[in-house]
Amino acid sequence: MGFNTLLKEYVALVTNHPDRYYQDYLATINAVENSSAKFNNQTVPFLYNPLFFSTEDIKSFQGLTNTLMGILQKVIEKFISSPSFRIKFGFDQLLEELILVDPGYEVNIPMSRFDIFYYRPGVFKFCELNADGSSGMHKTNELERIFLNTAVVNQLKTKYQLSYYELIDTWVNESLKNYQQFNGHLDRPNVVIMDWQQAGNLKEFEAFKQAYENKGCRAAIADPRHLRYDGQKLYYRDMRVDLIYRRLVTSELISNHQQLTDFIQAYRAGAVCVIGPLRSEIIHNKIIFKILHHDTEDLLSAAEREFINKHVPYTAEFSGEESLFLKIQHNKDNFVLKPKDQYAAAGVYVGKDYSNTQWQRLTAQCWENNYLVQEYCQPFVGPLIEFKQQQAVVNNYNQMLGLFVYNQKFAGLYTRVGRNNVISQQHGYYLLPNFVIGQNL
């Protein structure tokens, strides 16, 4: 059963019998509103529509994850060993210094989410690599938990085995493995989930906190400004901090470093296990796609270079020769402009979304201003259900899949859809639950 085959059956069930499922749709809205699927205390937007993935799809995700992680590992190792290679990334001195700190465990990137446009097994394009404060695990699991018992899914379960990837306890287990490499003498570390006090993902942090406590760990959610280092150990209030699950993104950590001296000193000294390490910025910063295309010829095998050329959108710095500027300005539908280090699609401009006059203004604004230019990749477009009052209406939506990667292995799915070319909170999106057909996960 190929990608989206079962989705067609789901859509047909609802559209052929909307009166049968409308009350369940309303009950699902109520269940989600009363769940902890929240961001900034707002219920996440969603459609009455899961996605379904086959065994073949999952094998494709596992394969592409393994291939890309192998490539990225080579890039990270060269960054660590080669000062001349490090220059290509353009990181400031403090960030580079912190990236070079050994995190004390084997895996350089313990947590990441690879966002892709997925068309079918073997046919996909990467959108971006999120390896810094990766989020969404709890929200998608809450939707999956609720949808697994909706009327339509229960109907499908009479014919198909459906399951989903659990992402909270799984991550806690993986992070504790990393901690055991850092300090094999302490089975139950004291854990801090670290982000700004006003961070919007509090419900997700609370889910992780509970999961750590269920493992016998003492756990807290803490603002990094409230951590104190005594020269030996790091503390949050009266609690010694052994393990930090870092959700604070690197760009904000560096820009606010003068307020975070205790954390930074403890990190430099190896006094606390920090997951993920600052070296996550090597692959998180959007310049990684430019590096992969332009600066790895002597680093990668022929097969790896072919993988990059086929699946990673061509990317270059939006600076230098005037001919590049004119090419981008006069071919707006083929290109996207992206800032090197922002998140949540901030500052991203898709040429298709603008008039010629607007695009001329944007290209002038972004030129020589720390921007990258990237080839435009059309997201996969698929039919999904919306209820308009009591009528089930099918509309086409752009889809973007997020592949969670825990300790370099594919761990689960996160799907956002939208009507716009940029699929994000800022530009309008819906979250969908994800089910796998025919496997116990």
Side-chain angles (χ1 to χ4, degrees), residues 8-53:
K8 295 176 183 177
E9 186 172 343
Y10 180 97
V11 170
L13 278 171
V14 179
T15 54
N16 290 337
H17 304 283
D19 53 328
R20 183 183 301 173
Y21 297 111
Y22 181 67
Q23 291 302 317
D24 185 68
Y25 161 71
L26 296 179
T28 303
I29 291 176
N30 185 65
V32 176
E33 287 179 345
N34 286 285
S35 77
S36 53
K38 299 284 195 296
F39 184 80
N40 278 334
N41 288 321
Q42 298 295 313
T43 301
V44 295
F46 70 97
L47 297 179
Y48 186 63
N49 213 133
L51 287 189
F52 302 91
F53 297 91

Side-chain angles (χ1 to χ4, degrees), residues 25 43-49 51 143 384-388 395-400 414-420 422-425 427-434:
Y25 161 71
T43 301
V44 295
F46 70 97
L47 297 179
Y48 186 63
N49 213 133
L51 287 189
L143 286 186
L384 299 171
I385 294 168
E386 295 178 83
F387 268 101
K388 301 295 185 182
N395 285 310
N396 284 326
Y397 278 86
N398 295 328
Q399 300 179 11
M400 182 164 64
Y414 178 69
T415 297
R416 286 154 293 165
V417 302
R419 305 299 291 273
N420 298 317
V422 179
I423 305 169
S424 73
Q425 183 179 355
H427 298 84
Y429 82 108
Y430 296 98
L431 198 62
L432 300 187
N434 306 284

